[in-house]
Protein backbone atom coordinates (compact mmCIF):
# COMPACT_ATOMS: atom_id res chain seq x y z
CA UNK A 1 0.00 0.00 0.00
CA UNK A 2 3.05 2.27 0.29
CA UNK A 3 2.64 3.46 -3.28
CA UNK A 4 -0.75 4.96 -2.38
CA UNK A 5 0.66 7.30 0.28
CA UNK A 6 1.95 9.88 -2.28
CA UNK A 7 -1.53 9.90 -3.84
CA UNK A 8 -3.03 10.71 -0.45
CA UNK A 9 -0.56 13.56 0.05
CA UNK A 10 -1.23 14.75 -3.50
CA UNK A 11 -4.98 14.81 -2.76
CA UNK A 12 -4.43 16.97 0.32
CA UNK A 13 -2.18 19.41 -1.56
CA UNK A 14 -4.52 19.50 -4.58
CA UNK A 15 -7.50 20.33 -2.35
CA UNK A 16 -5.63 23.01 -0.46
CA UNK A 17 -4.60 24.82 -3.66
CA UNK A 18 -8.06 26.12 -4.72
CA UNK A 19 -9.20 26.67 -1.13
CA UNK A 20 -6.14 28.75 -0.20
CA UNK A 21 -6.31 30.69 -3.47
CA UNK A 22 -9.98 31.53 -2.96
CA UNK A 23 -9.29 32.63 0.63
CA UNK A 24 -6.39 34.90 -0.41
CA UNK A 25 -8.38 36.44 -3.24
CA UNK A 26 -11.26 36.97 -0.82
CA UNK A 27 -8.95 39.06 1.34
CA UNK A 28 -7.52 41.29 -1.40
CA UNK A 29 -10.20 41.48 -4.06
CA UNK A 30 -12.18 44.59 -4.96
CA UNK A 31 -15.95 44.86 -4.97
CA UNK A 32 -18.88 46.69 -3.45
CA UNK A 33 -21.97 44.66 -2.67
CA UNK A 34 -25.21 45.61 -4.37
CA UNK A 35 -28.45 43.58 -4.19
CA UNK A 36 -28.99 44.01 -7.94
CA UNK A 37 -25.60 42.44 -8.67
CA UNK A 38 -26.63 39.33 -6.74
CA UNK A 39 -29.67 38.71 -8.94
CA UNK A 40 -29.35 35.80 -11.39
CA UNK A 41 -28.40 36.96 -14.87
CA UNK A 42 -31.24 36.90 -17.36
CA UNK A 43 -30.21 39.44 -19.98
CA UNK A 44 -31.12 42.32 -17.66
CA UNK A 45 -34.74 41.35 -17.09
CA UNK A 46 -35.91 40.63 -13.54
CA UNK A 47 -36.33 36.84 -13.27
CA UNK A 48 -39.97 35.80 -13.19
CA UNK A 49 -39.37 32.35 -11.69
CA UNK A 50 -36.76 30.37 -9.80
CA UNK A 51 -34.38 28.26 -11.85
CA UNK A 52 -34.66 25.54 -9.19
CA UNK A 53 -38.29 25.04 -10.28
CA UNK A 54 -37.54 24.90 -14.01
CA UNK A 55 -38.61 21.68 -15.71
CA UNK A 56 -36.31 19.98 -18.17
CA UNK A 57 -36.57 17.26 -20.76
CA UNK A 58 -37.09 13.66 -19.61
CA UNK A 59 -34.46 12.64 -22.19
CA UNK A 60 -31.65 13.68 -19.86
CA UNK A 61 -32.91 11.05 -17.46
CA UNK A 62 -33.08 8.43 -20.20
CA UNK A 63 -29.50 9.15 -21.21
CA UNK A 64 -28.42 8.74 -17.59
CA UNK A 65 -30.10 5.31 -17.37
CA UNK A 66 -28.48 4.18 -20.65
CA UNK A 67 -25.14 5.39 -19.36
CA UNK A 68 -25.45 3.25 -16.25
CA UNK A 69 -26.13 0.16 -18.39
CA UNK A 70 -23.12 0.70 -20.64
CA UNK A 71 -20.75 1.91 -17.97
CA UNK A 72 -21.36 -1.14 -15.79
CA UNK A 73 -20.55 -3.16 -18.88
CA UNK A 74 -17.26 -1.29 -19.27
CA UNK A 75 -16.45 -2.20 -15.67
CA UNK A 76 -16.83 -5.88 -16.63
CA UNK A 77 -14.55 -5.34 -19.61
CA UNK A 78 -11.52 -4.15 -17.60
CA UNK A 79 -10.70 -7.38 -15.72
CA UNK A 80 -11.46 -9.33 -18.89
CA UNK A 81 -9.05 -7.16 -20.90
CA UNK A 82 -6.24 -7.54 -18.34
CA UNK A 83 -6.59 -11.35 -18.34
CA UNK A 84 -7.31 -11.65 -22.06
CA UNK A 85 -3.95 -13.13 -23.07
CA UNK A 86 -4.42 -15.92 -20.53
CA UNK A 87 -8.10 -16.58 -21.27
CA UNK A 88 -7.44 -16.83 -25.03
CA UNK A 89 -10.23 -18.35 -27.15
CA UNK A 90 -12.45 -19.09 -24.15
CA UNK A 91 -12.35 -15.46 -23.07
CA UNK A 92 -12.97 -14.23 -26.60
CA UNK A 93 -16.11 -16.33 -27.11
CA UNK A 94 -17.31 -15.56 -23.60
CA UNK A 95 -17.05 -11.84 -24.29
CA UNK A 96 -18.77 -12.27 -27.68
CA UNK A 97 -21.75 -13.84 -25.90
CA UNK A 98 -21.78 -11.10 -23.27
CA UNK A 99 -21.53 -8.32 -25.86
CA UNK A 100 -24.15 -10.10 -28.01
CA UNK A 101 -26.70 -9.79 -25.21
CA UNK A 102 -25.76 -6.17 -24.75
CA UNK A 103 -25.93 -5.37 -28.46
CA UNK A 104 -29.44 -6.88 -28.53
CA UNK A 105 -30.45 -4.42 -25.79
CA UNK A 106 -28.68 -1.63 -27.65
CA UNK A 107 -30.60 -2.40 -30.89
CA UNK A 108 -33.83 -2.53 -28.88
CA UNK A 109 -33.13 0.88 -27.35
CA UNK A 110 -32.26 2.26 -30.78
CA UNK A 111 -35.45 0.88 -32.38
CA UNK A 112 -37.61 2.29 -29.58
CA UNK A 113 -36.09 5.71 -30.22
CA UNK A 114 -34.27 6.02 -26.90
CA UNK A 115 -31.14 7.29 -28.68
CA UNK A 116 -32.99 9.88 -30.74
CA UNK A 117 -32.81 13.43 -29.47
CA UNK A 118 -35.68 15.57 -30.73
CA UNK B 1 10.86 11.01 6.05
CA UNK B 2 11.63 9.73 2.58
CA UNK B 3 7.99 8.78 2.38
CA UNK B 4 7.01 12.39 2.72
CA UNK B 5 9.77 14.78 1.65
CA UNK B 6 10.64 13.45 -1.82
CA UNK B 7 7.00 12.95 -2.87
CA UNK B 8 6.14 16.38 -1.51
CA UNK B 9 8.84 18.03 -3.63
CA UNK B 10 7.60 16.14 -6.69
CA UNK B 11 4.00 17.09 -5.94
CA UNK B 12 4.85 20.77 -5.70
CA UNK B 13 6.85 20.62 -8.95
CA UNK B 14 4.05 18.77 -10.78
CA UNK B 15 1.39 21.17 -9.53
CA UNK B 16 3.42 24.28 -10.33
CA UNK B 17 4.22 23.08 -13.86
CA UNK B 18 0.61 22.02 -14.41
CA UNK B 19 -0.99 25.23 -13.16
CA UNK B 20 1.52 27.47 -14.94
CA UNK B 21 1.13 25.30 -18.05
CA UNK B 22 -2.64 25.57 -17.94
CA UNK B 23 -2.39 29.34 -17.49
CA UNK B 24 0.03 29.67 -20.39
CA UNK B 25 -2.16 27.48 -22.62
CA UNK B 26 -4.66 30.36 -22.67
CA UNK B 27 -1.90 32.57 -24.06
CA UNK B 28 -0.80 29.99 -26.62
CA UNK B 29 -4.39 29.39 -27.63
CA UNK B 30 -4.99 33.07 -28.27
CA UNK B 31 -1.75 33.27 -30.25
CA UNK B 32 -2.51 30.18 -32.34
CA UNK B 33 -6.09 31.29 -33.03
CA UNK B 34 -4.78 34.72 -33.99
CA UNK B 35 -2.28 33.26 -36.47
CA UNK B 36 -4.98 30.99 -37.93
CA UNK B 37 -7.08 34.10 -38.54
CA UNK B 38 -4.06 36.14 -39.78
CA UNK B 39 -4.02 38.43 -36.73
CA UNK B 40 -1.21 39.15 -34.31
CA UNK B 41 -2.82 38.11 -31.03
CA UNK B 42 -1.80 39.40 -27.60
CA UNK B 43 1.58 41.20 -27.89
CA UNK B 44 1.37 44.14 -25.48
CA UNK B 45 2.05 42.76 -21.98
CA UNK B 46 5.74 42.03 -21.57
CA UNK B 47 8.12 41.06 -24.40
CA UNK B 48 6.01 39.78 -27.34
CA UNK B 49 3.07 39.37 -24.98
CA UNK B 50 4.70 36.67 -22.88
CA UNK B 51 3.44 38.11 -19.59
CA UNK B 52 -0.18 38.06 -20.76
CA UNK B 53 -1.06 34.94 -18.75
CA UNK B 54 0.42 36.45 -15.57
CA UNK B 55 -1.54 39.65 -16.13
CA UNK B 56 -4.75 37.68 -16.63
CA UNK B 57 -4.16 35.70 -13.45
CA UNK B 58 -3.50 38.88 -11.43
CA UNK B 59 -6.62 40.49 -12.83
CA UNK B 60 -8.80 37.50 -11.92
CA UNK B 61 -7.22 37.45 -8.48
CA UNK B 62 -8.44 40.92 -7.53
CA UNK B 63 -11.76 40.81 -9.41
CA UNK B 64 -15.05 41.05 -7.60
CA UNK B 65 -16.41 37.60 -6.77
CA UNK B 66 -20.21 37.54 -6.76
CA UNK B 67 -22.40 34.86 -5.22
CA UNK B 68 -26.01 35.06 -6.44
CA UNK B 69 -28.39 35.87 -3.57
CA UNK B 70 -30.68 32.88 -4.00
CA UNK B 71 -28.03 30.34 -4.88
CA UNK B 72 -27.06 27.28 -2.88
CA UNK B 73 -24.02 28.92 -1.24
CA UNK B 74 -21.95 25.95 -0.12
CA UNK B 75 -22.43 23.95 -3.33
CA UNK B 76 -21.68 27.10 -5.33
CA UNK B 77 -18.30 27.26 -3.62
CA UNK B 78 -17.70 23.52 -3.83
CA UNK B 79 -18.25 23.22 -7.60
CA UNK B 80 -15.05 24.97 -8.82
CA UNK B 81 -13.01 22.99 -6.29
CA UNK B 82 -14.50 19.77 -7.64
CA UNK B 83 -13.54 20.83 -11.17
CA UNK B 84 -9.90 21.60 -10.57
CA UNK B 85 -8.95 18.91 -8.02
CA UNK B 86 -9.66 15.79 -10.18
CA UNK B 87 -7.89 17.38 -13.14
CA UNK B 88 -4.76 17.87 -11.02
CA UNK B 89 -5.07 14.56 -9.18
CA UNK B 90 -4.72 12.50 -12.36
CA UNK B 91 -1.08 13.56 -12.59
CA UNK B 92 -0.28 11.62 -9.43
CA UNK B 93 -0.02 8.44 -11.53
CA UNK B 94 1.14 9.72 -14.94
CA UNK B 95 4.68 8.45 -15.65
CA UNK B 96 6.91 11.08 -17.26
CA UNK B 97 9.89 8.79 -17.62
CA UNK B 98 11.16 5.23 -17.18
CA UNK B 99 12.73 5.49 -13.72
CA UNK B 100 11.21 6.29 -10.36
CA UNK B 101 12.60 9.83 -10.42
CA UNK B 102 10.25 10.80 -13.22
CA UNK B 103 7.02 9.76 -11.59
CA UNK B 104 5.30 10.24 -8.28
CA UNK B 105 4.03 6.70 -7.87
CA UNK B 106 3.24 3.63 -9.94
CA UNK B 107 0.11 1.75 -8.92
CA UNK B 108 -1.09 -1.36 -10.75
CA UNK B 109 -4.58 0.06 -11.35
CA UNK B 110 -3.40 3.47 -12.54
CA UNK B 111 -5.71 3.47 -15.57
CA UNK B 112 -8.79 2.82 -13.42
CA UNK B 113 -7.61 5.56 -11.06
CA UNK B 114 -7.35 8.04 -13.94
CA UNK B 115 -10.77 7.19 -15.35
CA UNK B 116 -12.41 7.19 -11.93
CA UNK B 117 -10.89 10.42 -10.72
CA UNK B 118 -11.48 12.35 -13.93
CA UNK B 119 -15.16 11.33 -13.85
CA UNK B 120 -15.57 13.25 -10.59
CA UNK B 121 -15.18 16.45 -12.60
CA UNK B 122 -18.71 15.94 -13.94
CA UNK B 123 -20.05 16.67 -10.45
CA UNK B 124 -18.32 20.02 -10.46
CA UNK B 125 -20.02 21.02 -13.70
CA UNK B 126 -23.53 19.84 -12.88
CA UNK B 127 -23.42 21.10 -9.27
CA UNK B 128 -22.09 24.46 -10.45
CA UNK B 129 -24.86 24.73 -13.04
CA UNK B 130 -27.55 23.73 -10.60
CA UNK B 131 -26.47 25.71 -7.53
CA UNK B 132 -26.31 29.04 -9.40
CA UNK B 133 -30.13 29.18 -9.52
CA UNK B 134 -29.91 30.54 -13.05
CA UNK B 135 -31.76 29.02 -15.99
CA UNK B 136 -28.84 29.32 -18.40
CA UNK B 137 -26.58 27.63 -15.88
CA UNK B 138 -29.06 24.85 -15.25
CA UNK B 139 -29.47 24.13 -18.97
CA UNK B 140 -25.72 24.29 -19.51
CA UNK B 141 -25.08 21.98 -16.57
CA UNK B 142 -27.64 19.41 -17.75
CA UNK B 143 -26.39 19.47 -21.30
CA UNK B 144 -22.88 19.09 -20.08
CA UNK B 145 -23.72 16.15 -17.84
CA UNK B 146 -25.55 14.39 -20.69
CA UNK B 147 -22.65 15.06 -23.04
CA UNK B 148 -19.96 13.92 -20.63
CA UNK B 149 -21.63 10.65 -19.66
CA UNK B 150 -22.54 9.90 -23.30
CA UNK B 151 -18.95 10.22 -24.44
CA UNK B 152 -17.51 8.40 -21.47
CA UNK B 153 -18.90 5.09 -22.76
CA UNK B 154 -17.06 4.99 -26.14
CA UNK B 155 -14.00 6.44 -24.41
CA UNK B 156 -14.05 3.53 -21.98
CA UNK B 157 -14.21 1.05 -24.89
CA UNK B 158 -11.30 2.77 -26.62
CA UNK B 159 -9.22 2.54 -23.45
CA UNK B 160 -10.15 -1.13 -22.97
CA UNK B 161 -8.79 -1.76 -26.49
CA UNK B 162 -5.39 -0.60 -25.28
CA UNK B 163 -5.67 -2.75 -22.16
CA UNK B 164 -6.37 -5.81 -24.33
CA UNK B 165 -3.15 -5.14 -26.28
CA UNK B 166 -1.05 -4.35 -23.20
CA UNK B 167 -2.60 -6.79 -20.72
CA UNK B 168 -2.12 -4.39 -17.83
CA UNK B 169 -3.75 -1.40 -16.18
CA UNK B 170 -0.43 0.09 -15.03
CA UNK B 171 0.52 3.10 -17.14
CA UNK B 172 4.22 2.31 -16.76
CA UNK B 173 3.64 -1.24 -17.94
CA UNK B 174 1.56 -0.05 -20.92
CA UNK B 175 4.47 2.08 -22.14
CA UNK B 176 6.95 -0.75 -21.46
CA UNK B 177 4.85 -3.13 -23.57
CA UNK B 178 4.91 -0.64 -26.44
CA UNK B 179 8.71 -0.60 -26.23
CA UNK B 180 8.96 -4.39 -26.06
CA UNK B 181 6.62 -4.88 -29.02
CA UNK B 182 8.47 -2.23 -30.99
CA UNK B 183 5.17 -0.75 -32.12
CA UNK B 184 3.18 2.03 -30.51
CA UNK B 185 -0.47 1.26 -29.97
CA UNK B 186 -1.71 4.01 -32.28
CA UNK B 187 -0.87 1.77 -35.25
CA UNK B 188 -2.97 -1.30 -34.35
CA UNK B 189 -5.37 0.93 -32.43
CA UNK B 190 -5.84 3.74 -34.94
CA UNK B 191 -9.64 3.52 -34.65
CA UNK B 192 -9.40 3.46 -30.85
CA UNK B 193 -7.14 6.53 -30.94
CA UNK B 194 -9.63 8.36 -33.14
CA UNK B 195 -12.55 7.47 -30.86
CA UNK B 196 -10.48 8.32 -27.78
CA UNK B 197 -9.49 11.75 -28.99
CA UNK B 198 -12.95 12.71 -30.27
CA UNK B 199 -14.37 11.66 -26.90
CA UNK B 200 -11.56 13.51 -25.16
CA UNK B 201 -12.48 16.71 -26.98
CA UNK B 202 -16.12 16.21 -25.96
CA UNK B 203 -15.15 15.41 -22.36
CA UNK B 204 -13.27 18.68 -22.02
CA UNK B 205 -16.13 20.73 -23.52
CA UNK B 206 -13.95 22.00 -26.32
CA UNK B 207 -14.78 22.95 -29.88
CA UNK B 208 -16.54 21.53 -31.84
CA UNK B 209 -18.35 20.06 -28.81
CA UNK B 210 -18.43 23.13 -26.58
CA UNK B 211 -22.23 23.15 -26.25
CA UNK B 212 -22.28 23.43 -22.45
CA UNK B 213 -20.73 26.87 -22.79
CA UNK B 214 -22.31 27.79 -26.12
CA UNK B 215 -22.06 31.56 -25.68
CA UNK B 216 -24.45 32.28 -28.54
CA UNK B 217 -27.35 30.44 -26.88
CA UNK B 218 -26.54 29.88 -23.21
CA UNK B 219 -24.49 33.02 -22.34
CA UNK B 220 -21.77 31.05 -20.51
CA UNK B 221 -23.50 27.76 -19.77
CA UNK B 222 -22.82 26.29 -16.36
CA UNK B 223 -20.48 29.09 -15.29
CA UNK B 224 -22.73 32.03 -16.21
CA UNK B 225 -23.01 33.20 -12.59
CA UNK B 226 -19.36 32.64 -11.69
CA UNK B 227 -16.86 35.47 -11.49
CA UNK B 228 -13.42 36.20 -10.13
CA UNK B 229 -11.28 33.39 -8.82
CA UNK B 230 -14.07 30.79 -8.84
CA UNK B 231 -14.58 31.36 -12.56
CA UNK B 232 -10.83 31.12 -13.02
CA UNK B 233 -10.94 27.61 -11.56
CA UNK B 234 -13.49 26.49 -14.13
CA UNK B 235 -11.21 27.86 -16.81
CA UNK B 236 -8.09 26.38 -15.29
CA UNK B 237 -9.88 23.04 -14.90
CA UNK B 238 -10.78 23.00 -18.59
CA UNK B 239 -7.18 23.58 -19.64
CA UNK B 240 -5.80 21.15 -17.07
CA UNK B 241 -8.25 18.55 -18.42
CA UNK B 242 -6.92 19.17 -21.93
CA UNK B 243 -3.45 18.37 -20.62
CA UNK B 244 -4.85 15.24 -18.93
CA UNK B 245 -6.49 13.97 -22.13
CA UNK B 246 -3.34 14.71 -24.14
CA UNK B 247 -1.08 13.05 -21.58
CA UNK B 248 -3.28 9.95 -21.51
CA UNK B 249 -3.34 9.80 -25.31
CA UNK B 250 0.46 9.99 -25.24
CA UNK B 251 0.79 7.19 -22.70
CA UNK B 252 -1.85 4.90 -24.21
CA UNK B 253 -1.16 5.33 -27.91
CA UNK B 254 2.14 7.12 -28.49
CA UNK B 255 4.61 5.35 -26.25
CA UNK B 256 4.76 7.87 -23.40
CA UNK B 257 8.35 8.94 -22.77
CA UNK B 258 9.88 6.81 -25.57
CA UNK B 259 11.76 8.64 -28.34
CA UNK B 260 10.57 8.00 -31.92
CA UNK B 261 11.46 4.47 -33.15
CA UNK B 262 13.07 3.47 -29.83
CA UNK B 263 14.29 0.08 -31.11
CA UNK B 264 15.01 0.81 -34.76
CA UNK B 265 17.03 3.93 -34.01
CA UNK B 266 18.42 2.63 -30.70
CA UNK B 267 22.07 3.37 -31.69
CA UNK B 268 21.10 6.96 -32.48
CA UNK B 269 19.41 7.51 -29.09
CA UNK B 270 22.48 6.10 -27.34
CA UNK B 271 24.77 8.73 -28.92
CA UNK B 272 26.14 11.15 -26.30
CA UNK B 273 24.79 14.08 -28.33
CA UNK B 274 21.18 13.02 -27.72
CA UNK B 275 21.44 10.65 -24.75
CA UNK B 276 21.36 13.56 -22.27
CA UNK B 277 17.83 14.47 -23.42
CA UNK B 278 15.63 13.48 -20.48
CA UNK B 279 12.68 11.18 -21.30
CA UNK B 280 10.08 13.74 -20.13
CA UNK B 281 11.16 15.88 -23.09
CA UNK B 282 9.67 13.37 -25.52
CA UNK B 283 6.62 13.00 -23.32
CA UNK B 284 5.95 16.73 -23.19
CA UNK B 285 6.62 17.08 -26.92
CA UNK B 286 3.87 14.57 -27.71
CA UNK B 287 1.52 16.18 -25.19
CA UNK B 288 2.15 19.56 -26.82
CA UNK B 289 1.33 18.10 -30.24
CA UNK B 290 -2.04 16.87 -28.97
CA UNK B 291 -2.79 20.22 -27.34
CA UNK B 292 -1.98 21.97 -30.59
CA UNK B 293 -4.53 19.68 -32.25
CA UNK B 294 -7.14 20.91 -29.74
CA UNK B 295 -6.46 24.51 -30.69
CA UNK B 296 -6.40 23.70 -34.37
CA UNK B 297 -9.87 22.17 -33.94
CA UNK B 298 -11.10 25.34 -32.29
CA UNK B 299 -9.83 27.45 -35.14
CA UNK B 300 -11.32 25.18 -37.79
CA UNK B 301 -14.58 23.49 -36.86
CA UNK B 302 -18.05 24.99 -36.32
CA UNK B 303 -20.02 23.93 -33.26
CA UNK B 304 -22.22 20.81 -33.32
CA UNK B 305 -25.95 20.95 -32.60
CA UNK B 306 -27.05 19.04 -29.49
CA UNK B 307 -28.98 16.32 -31.34
CA UNK B 308 -26.01 15.84 -33.71
CA UNK B 309 -23.74 15.54 -30.70
CA UNK B 310 -25.91 12.84 -29.14
CA UNK B 311 -26.23 10.98 -32.42
CA UNK B 312 -22.47 10.97 -32.94
CA UNK B 313 -21.87 9.67 -29.44
CA UNK B 314 -24.51 6.97 -29.20
CA UNK B 315 -25.03 5.88 -32.80
CA UNK B 316 -21.56 6.25 -34.34
CA UNK B 317 -18.77 6.20 -31.77
CA UNK B 318 -20.33 3.57 -29.50
CA UNK B 319 -20.83 0.80 -32.13
CA UNK B 320 -17.54 1.69 -33.85
CA UNK B 321 -15.54 1.45 -30.65
CA UNK B 322 -17.29 -1.76 -29.60
CA UNK B 323 -16.67 -3.44 -32.97
CA UNK B 324 -13.08 -2.21 -32.97
CA UNK B 325 -12.54 -3.71 -29.52
CA UNK B 326 -13.57 -7.17 -30.70
CA UNK B 327 -11.52 -6.87 -33.92
CA UNK B 328 -8.42 -5.93 -31.93
CA UNK B 329 -9.12 -8.73 -29.44
CA UNK B 330 -9.32 -11.17 -32.35
CA UNK B 331 -6.03 -9.83 -33.67
CA UNK B 332 -4.34 -10.30 -30.29
CA UNK B 333 -5.81 -13.82 -30.16
CA UNK B 334 -4.40 -14.77 -33.59
CA UNK B 335 -0.96 -13.24 -32.97
CA UNK B 336 -1.16 -14.98 -29.60
CA UNK B 337 1.74 -15.47 -27.24
CA UNK B 338 4.19 -13.46 -29.34
CA UNK B 339 2.88 -10.21 -27.89
Amino acid sequence: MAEYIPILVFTAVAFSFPIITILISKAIRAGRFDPVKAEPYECGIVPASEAFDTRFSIRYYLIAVLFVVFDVETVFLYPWAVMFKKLELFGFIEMLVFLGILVAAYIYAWRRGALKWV
Amino acid sequence: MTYLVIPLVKIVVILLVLILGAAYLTFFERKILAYIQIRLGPNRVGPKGWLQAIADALKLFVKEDLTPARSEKFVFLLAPVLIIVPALLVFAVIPFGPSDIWRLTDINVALLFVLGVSSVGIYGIILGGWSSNNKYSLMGGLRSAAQLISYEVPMGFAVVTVVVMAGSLSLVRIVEVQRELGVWFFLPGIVALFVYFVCGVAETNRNPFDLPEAESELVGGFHTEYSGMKWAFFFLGEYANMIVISAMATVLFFGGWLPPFPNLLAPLWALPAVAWVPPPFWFLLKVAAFIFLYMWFRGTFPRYRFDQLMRLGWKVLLPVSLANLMVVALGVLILGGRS
Side-chain angles (χ1 to χ4, degrees):
Chain A
M1 291 303 279
E3 64 262 35
Y4 286 90
I5 294 173
I7 294 182
L8 215 64
V9 180
F10 199 113
T11 314
V13 178
F15 263 105
S16 61
F17 161 67
I19 293 170
I20 290 173
T21 317
I22 285 176
L23 283 180
I24 295 175
S25 102
K26 196 171 188 164
I28 62 169
R29 77 187 170 209
R32 202 175 290 148
F33 182 76
D34 189 312
V36 180
K37 277 186 191 170
E39 287 290 306
Y41 174 79
E42 266 183 35
C43 306
I45 298 168
V46 179
S49 64
E50 293 272 311
F52 287 148
D53 303 333
T54 312
R55 295 185 178 192
F56 50 83
S57 175
I58 188 78
R59 294 196 170 273
Y60 289 108
Y61 181 73
L62 202 61
I63 290 288
V65 172
L66 280 173
F67 165 73
V68 171
V69 174
F70 281 97
D71 214 42
V72 169
E73 187 219 347
T74 329
V75 171
F76 280 123
L77 280 172
Y78 281 103
W80 167 80
V82 173
M83 297 307 292
F84 182 67
K85 282 172 188 168
K86 295 201 181 76
L87 294 171
E88 295 186 321
L89 192 62
F90 168 74
F92 185 73
I93 292 170
E94 193 80 322
M95 197 37 78
L96 271 186
V97 173
F98 178 67
L99 289 184
I101 297 168
L102 198 97
V103 166
Y106 173 70
I107 292 170
Y108 175 76
W110 188 327
R111 292 282 295 271
R112 290 297 299 263
L115 307 180
K116 209 166 85 192
W117 196 279
V118 189
Chain B
M1 279 311 274
T2 49
Y3 267 142
L4 222 59
V5 173
I6 296 170
L8 214 56
V9 171
K10 280 184 194 169
I11 288 167
V12 170
V13 170
I14 291 175
L15 283 181
L16 275 181
V17 170
L18 200 57
I19 291 161
L20 261 180
Y24 261 92
L25 276 188
T26 62
F27 170 65
F28 292 135
E29 174 158 45
R30 288 173 68 183
K31 270 288 187 198
I32 290 167
L33 283 180
Y35 287 138
I36 286 176
Q37 297 161 353
I38 324 180
R39 296 185 284 117
L40 285 176
N43 62 354
R44 284 287 174 269
V45 189
K48 303 240 175 207
W50 271 87
L51 292 177
Q52 182 69 44
I54 309 288
D56 286 342
L58 269 178
K59 180 198 73 178
L60 285 167
F61 217 63
V62 295
K63 269 238 165 179
E64 185 171 13
D65 192 348
L66 287 167
T67 306
R70 278 170 294 177
S71 63
E72 199 68 47
K73 300 273 181 338
F74 176 69
V75 182
F76 192 77
L77 179 66
L78 182 70
V81 177
L82 277 185
I83 289 266
I84 186 82
V85 170
L88 300 175
L89 207 50
V90 166
F91 280 85
V93 295
I94 300 249
F96 301 96
S99 56
D100 275 336
I101 315 161
W102 298 116
R103 57 177 174 256
L104 185 62
T105 180
D106 171 32
I107 54 175
N108 54 2
V109 289
L111 198 53
L112 275 186
F113 178 84
V114 169
L115 290 171
V117 165
S118 52
S119 299
V120 176
I122 297 176
Y123 285 105
I125 287 179
I126 191 157
L127 286 179
W130 171 79
S131 66
S132 308
N133 196 3
N134 176 316
K135 283 146 205 158
Y136 292 117
S137 303
L138 183 70
M139 284 300 152
L142 281 170
R143 272 192 188 186
S144 186
Q147 171 179 338
L148 293 184
I149 61 179
S150 297
Y151 279 79
E152 208 162 279
V153 176
M155 189 182 216
F157 288 145
V159 171
V160 168
T161 313
V162 172
V163 180
V164 166
M165 290 189 275
S168 173
L169 288 172
S170 154
L171 296 178
V172 178
R173 182 76 199 126
I174 287 174
V175 176
E176 290 290 326
V177 170
Q178 296 184 59
R179 188 177 53 80
E180 285 160 18
L181 288 178
V183 56
W184 293 352
F185 287 149
F186 78 92
L187 224 53
I190 185 82
V191 181
L193 171 66
F194 176 76
V195 170
Y196 175 84
F197 198 67
V198 171
C199 292
V201 174
E203 291 276 309
T204 41
N205 298 330
R206 296 282 305 181
N207 277 53
F209 307 115
D210 62 339
L211 286 121
E213 311 167 36
E215 62 266 31
S216 49
E217 33 188 312
L218 285 177
V219 191
F222 55 87
H223 57 52
T224 302
E225 287 294 344
Y226 281 91
S227 52
M229 214 53 216
K230 289 187 200 125
W231 180 82
F233 281 124
F234 278 108
F235 214 64
L236 212 56
E238 182 179 319
Y239 283 84
N241 270 323
M242 281 165 62
I243 305 179
V244 167
I245 295 287
S246 306
M248 287 304 291
T250 304
V251 169
L252 295 177
F253 296 100
F254 279 87
W257 63 78
L258 301 173
F261 303 104
N263 299 333
L264 216 62
L265 296 179
L268 175 70
W269 303 122
L271 286 181
V274 279
W276 59 271
V277 176
F281 170 78
W282 300 110
F283 185 87
L284 293 178
L285 199 68
K286 293 169 194 173
V287 171
F290 274 109
I291 288 172
F292 178 72
L293 209 57
Y294 262 107
M295 288 163 187
W296 196 358
F297 280 4
R298 178 160 177 197
T300 315
F301 291 130
R303 182 182 297 137
Y304 264 54
R305 219 167 51 214
F306 197 69
D307 60 318
Q308 294 171 330
L309 178 91
M310 283 301 172
R311 196 189 63 213
L312 179 70
W314 285 101
K315 294 189 174 175
V316 180
L317 292 181
L318 182 78
V320 164
S321 58
L322 202 55
N324 177 56
L325 169 65
M326 290 326 277
V327 169
V328 170
L330 190 66
V332 172
L333 193 69
I334 291 168
L335 293 174
R338 273 191 289 139
S339 54

